[in-house]
Amino acid sequence: MMIRSTTNGVLKSYRYNLQRSSYTLNKAMNTVLTGRNFDTYAADPATAARCFQMRRSFQRVNSQYSVSESVTRKYEQAWSALGSVVDDVNNQKTSSAYQDILHSINDPTASGRNSLGQSLTELAKGIVQTMNGRHGDNFIFAGADGLKVPFTWGEDGTLCYRGIPVDAAVPDIAMSNGAPLTLNDQGQYDPAGTNYLLSGGVKTISVDDYEAAVKAGNAPTVLRDTTGAGQLVDADGNISTTERYYLVLDNSKTISKADYEQAEKDLASLDYLSKSEVKYADLGLGLQEDGKTGEVIGSSVFNVALQGINFLGYGVDADGDPKNIVSIISRMGQILLNCDATTGAFAEGERDEFQRLADKFEASAALLQDKHIELDTQADFLKSNQTQLENMAHTLEQQFLGIEDVDPAEAISQLSWAKYCYNTALKVGNSILSQSLMDYINA
């Protein structure tokens, strides 16, 4: 059975095939020009969704890399600045604060103590300037508040960190029945008084011993009430109406309630800055929040807040001496400046203080060197983490480019084949059109 192909049927089939060839050619040409497997999400939804996830991860890693690069440079500058301070106080160098201190102690002629004192004072100022260095627009050692200068000198020469005296300390005060012992401005016991009695140097004396001392003409100064009578206390110094003891105040000192509360506030602020203030950065450590509190989990981020007081120290020790190495150097410099300009002799009571501070300076310098090594370890970690982020970004880029981008050789081959098919379709069209024209003439 033979089927006759009509002219309209042949032309219709020809047009359809020609259009497909043209579409295939245009698509192949567009693929070669763009180098992409698809141009729209609708073209390949599944592959496009995968690429979107990869690109989002790539952008996040790129952002983490940029942050990591900035943090790494900050830590490198911090390490360099702290290294300069370590060199200035290093006990192995001939030109260092430690050698100046040794010379001040061991110089048999005591010559040059004033000049050495000036040298130590200038060194303290130089360390502060170094620790006030910047990274970009932010101060390196200012903690989370990088726009505020970390170390400043008060009008009285007190070193401050972000406006708080670094040698802040809460003094021990005399207690009575679990509450602070309060005095009025005249130094008398007064429950409504606005002054506290410092506990250092305070002791008790029995009434009998006090009366005997009065008769002997060497009676100590004792605590009195607002009437001027001796205030009775027990053997532990608690206010009492039955016990027969007095508080001896010969070597006692007082502090106003306002100053005491300010000291508490200053020390609490320094403790917070040193131990609790943070500034987190996402460096690709798996940023995550606590599901219950909504707070960032500390182990999933990196704390970039460098607190200057954590390197130089703050507060005072059990002897009341400063822990801050700059304060120690500054005080030792002042003691040397107080020495007699001619003989070099120490002022009364200051030689022992100088020797005590010299020992504490050596301990603080060793601690500073440990902190410098710790900072170097953190800088190495940041460099390693940055390299890991760089490798991760490269891997992600290769993955989504491998899906999105075409193989150039394969794309060109497909273009050549599509062009060949299109040209073939045109040649077939020439034959069909010629035959149809003859059919028209013959009719």
Side-chain angles (χ1 to χ4, degrees), residues 369-381:
Q369 192 163 12
D370 291 341
K371 290 290 186 179
H372 184 233
I373 296 173
E374 181 181 337
L375 190 64
D376 186 37
T377 303
Q378 292 176 329
D380 287 341
F381 165 76

Side-chain angles (χ1 to χ4, degrees), residues 11-27 418 421-423 425-426:
L11 289 175
K12 183 178 180 181
S13 177
Y14 165 71
R15 285 195 299 268
Y16 173 75
N17 290 327
L18 181 63
Q19 287 173 355
R20 286 192 60 185
S21 298
S22 177
Y23 171 78
T24 302
L25 176 61
N26 287 332
K27 183 178 179 182
C421 292
Y422 179 73
N423 290 333
L426 290 178

